[in-house]
Amino acid sequence: MTEGSKSLFIKTYGCQMNVYDSERMADALEPLGYDAAASADDADVIILNTCHIREKAAEKVYSELGRIRLLKQRRAERGQRTIVAVAGCVAQAEGEEMVRRAPVVDLVFGPQTYHRLPDFVLRIENGEAGLVDTDFPAEDKFSRLRQPSRAQLATRGPTAFLTVQEGCDKFCTFCVVPYTRGAEFSRPVGRIVSEARNLAEAGVREVTLLGQNVNAYHGEGPDGRPSSLGGLIGALSRIDGIERIRYTTSHPRDMDDALIAAHGNNPKLMPYLHLPVQSGSDRILKAMNRKHSGSDYRRIVERIRHVRPDIALSSDFIVGFPGETDGDFHATLEIVRDIDYAQAYSFKYSPRPGTPAAERDTQVEEHVKSERLAALQSELTAQQTAFNRKCIGRRLSVLLERPGKRSGQLVGRSPYLQAVHIIAGSSRIGDIVEVEITGATANSLSAEPCVENNAKQAGNRPLTPAEVIL
Ligand code: SAH
Ligand code: SF4
Ligand code: F3S
């Protein structure tokens, strides 16, 4: 096998942080000669970057490993070796058990040790197998990671995720994240700014700052003192080329004054906020150990809307948490009606091994969970559709991200994170164009470019490889 001829396929499950981690894994293996494979079928290394947040996620991984076993067998019959690795939160939780249950796996490693991936791959290439590394190492993973190359970045488009904070100390009683990702950690401002500059130089125009508790960010600032997320956003907004900044996921407890103020005075900070409330019932919020009440949440939303009235709000909800009564569920519907969301995610409570709520003997029956989820989702979909419809006739700026399904069509995002479809004309991926919204469904908008404002955009930037094939 010659250098550069080896291929890598990463399948990513779960949250955006896993997307970021998968990109860093690809960057880490680039110097060993691994290029992206189009599918798992012809990859020399297959990595499943997994999520453990709900039951089915782990089951999906095991059934995927069943398919990969056959694929590995077929390749072996042709004399080809396949390295199979499982990364991410299921890997962290299962550890050795994973190798026992699925012997096809050569390597299991957790979210905090993927900077060691090149070493592991070399060891497996040299004949080792069944390696497991679920350490929470003392060394700083981020400082050991490779920055992506220009070639790598050119394939990734004009938006990028950037992890600024990782882990969680909050221990909500339903959640595995504090166990799989470990204690809370914030990267220093200087490192994040230099990573963002590198992205901007490669044509990235929007960064989404990631953290399991991103607004608990308290990384070291240039003066040696901890910086808040508001301060970090200020520093990033001074980078030429970065036009849009987002962050996710926030905890209501950590929405501090500086961050709320940034929504009012930083034009690069997009008017969209994912602020999970989980439940509208104070009794359930307490049992969840959320450390905020429904009225705390309403007050925070009021303060944000005061400085940024058009902000699009999003949330996560769990229905059927142990002990949840009809009354508790109605309190959730009530908070949804009061807040009026632009978008939201909702889930049936899923007992996770090792978490306190899983031990409770007040588990809610499956059919009740299903009924509550359907009722909640119908309310949320109605709100989302109404939010989108209200945009018809408005002029919005759209960052064009990728080709659409139809010829000549491009898809981008509005400031409110809605997907917007336009007929491209002279616009290209990476342009921020002004459009007039002409149609809306529950999930996306359609629009026409406002020609007079966009003429200045065209032709001021080289084409990326993704555009050349258009
Ligand atoms: N850090 C974020 C959420 C991370 S997990 C926060 O604090 O809000 C993403 C979402 O998955 C959670 O907001 C929650 O709604 C959902 N979730 C987490 N554990 C769950 C479980 N055991 N069952 C169902 N949904 C769960
Ligand atoms: Fe999980 Fe709660 Fe931490 Fe969010 S704040 S990651 S829900 S423990
Ligand atoms: Fe899933 Fe781990 Fe993210 S459990 S949601 S991949 S932090």
Side-chain angles (χ1 to χ4, degrees), residues 252-312:
R253 283 257 306 195
D254 298 314
M255 281 313 292
D256 64 17
D257 295 348
L259 187 54
I260 293 177
H263 276 288
N265 61 31
N266 190 330
K268 290 190 179 179
L269 182 57
M270 290 293 100
Y272 175 92
L273 175 62
H274 182 63
L275 192 64
V277 67
Q278 314 296 357
S279 167
S281 154
D282 287 347
R283 207 176 63 82
I284 295 297
L285 287 169
K286 194 152 195 288
M288 287 176 164
N289 192 30
R290 286 292 291 181
K291 302 188 177 85
H292 62 79
S293 65
S295 52
D296 294 337
Y297 186 88
R298 285 179 168 86
R299 259 197 307 278
I300 294 162
V301 167
E302 219 169 86
R303 289 179 57 208
I304 298 163
R305 282 192 165 143
H306 181 71
V307 298
R308 186 74 211 220
D310 65 332
I311 195 143

Side-chain angles (χ1 to χ4, degrees), residues 49-345:
N49 193 10
T50 62
C51 169
H52 201 43
I53 204 82
R54 283 169 292 275
E55 200 97 53
K56 282 187 197 131
E59 287 317 308
K60 270 191 221 152
V61 173
Y62 279 110
S63 62
E64 185 72 28
L65 285 171
R67 282 191 290 276
I68 289 172
R69 189 173 58 84
L70 302 176
L71 200 152
K72 186 167 174 168
Q73 245 165 25
R74 274 201 302 276
R75 279 173 53 92
E77 284 158 15
R78 297 199 298 263
Q80 293 169 310
R81 191 181 45 200
T82 315
I83 297 176
V84 179
V86 182
C89 292
V90 176
Q92 185 66 40
E94 300 272 287
E96 300 276 349
E97 175 62 20
M98 189 129 227
V99 186
R100 266 196 294 275
R101 189 165 158 190
V104 63
V105 174
D106 299 296
L107 167 65
V108 175
F109 60 106
Q112 301 311 333
T113 55
Y114 63 78
H115 55 296
R116 298 175 180 163
L117 183 57
D119 285 346
F120 290 134
V121 167
L122 287 173
R123 282 168 61 187
I124 297 167
E125 283 179 344
N126 289 322
E128 291 187 54
L131 304 180
V132 177
D133 186 357
T134 50
D135 257 15
F136 288 106
E139 80 244 36
D140 170 11
K141 165 183 80 184
F142 290 104
S143 65
R144 285 161 193 263
L145 288 174
R146 214 175 152 258
Q147 293 264 335
S149 67
R150 276 295 165 84
Q152 205 88 308
L153 282 172
T155 63
R156 291 180 188 163
T159 62
F161 291 129
L162 205 175
T163 295
V164 304
Q165 178 279 339
E166 193 169 359
C168 181
D169 296 338
K170 295 218 163 51
F171 292 92
C172 300
T173 54
F174 52 81
C175 185
V176 291
V177 171
Y179 311 96
T180 61
R181 292 273 167 174
E184 206 183 292
F185 167 81
S186 295
R187 301 176 66 192
V189 172
R191 290 260 181 73
I192 297 165
V193 167
S194 98
E195 192 168 326
R197 275 213 190 96
N198 188 38
L199 294 170
E201 280 162 17
V204 167
R205 307 198 72 185
E206 174 180 300
V207 288
T208 300
L209 311 180
L210 299 180
Q212 269 88 29
N213 262 279
V214 70
N215 57 343
Y217 177 82
H218 59 276
E220 189 186 316
D223 56 0
R225 295 216 303 267
S227 161
S228 68
L229 186 64
L232 174 67
I233 290 169
L236 291 169
S237 65
R238 289 190 283 278
I239 299 175
D240 283 344
I242 298 294
E243 304 297 340
R244 292 176 154 203
I245 300 171
R246 304 180 185 276
Y247 61 93
T248 199
T249 294
S250 297
H251 193 287
R253 283 257 306 195
D254 298 314
M255 281 313 292
D256 64 17
D257 295 348
L259 187 54
I260 293 177
H263 276 288
N265 61 31
N266 190 330
K268 290 190 179 179
L269 182 57
M270 290 293 100
Y272 175 92
L273 175 62
H274 182 63
L275 192 64
V277 67
Q278 314 296 357
S279 167
S281 154
D282 287 347
R283 207 176 63 82
I284 295 297
L285 287 169
K286 194 152 195 288
M288 287 176 164
N289 192 30
R290 286 292 291 181
K291 302 188 177 85
H292 62 79
S293 65
S295 52
D296 294 337
Y297 186 88
R298 285 179 168 86
R299 259 197 307 278
I300 294 162
V301 167
E302 219 169 86
R303 289 179 57 208
I304 298 163
R305 282 192 165 143
H306 181 71
V307 298
R308 186 74 211 220
D310 65 332
I311 195 143
L313 287 167
S314 160
S315 180
D316 291 338
F317 296 91
I318 295 177
V319 297
F321 184 83
E324 187 187 69
T325 62
D326 280 342
D328 293 319
F329 176 63
H330 278 105
T332 298
L333 287 178
E334 208 170 282
I335 204 164
V336 167
R337 286 178 192 134
D338 289 351
I339 300 290
D340 196 8
Y341 288 99
Q343 208 242 322
Y345 303 90

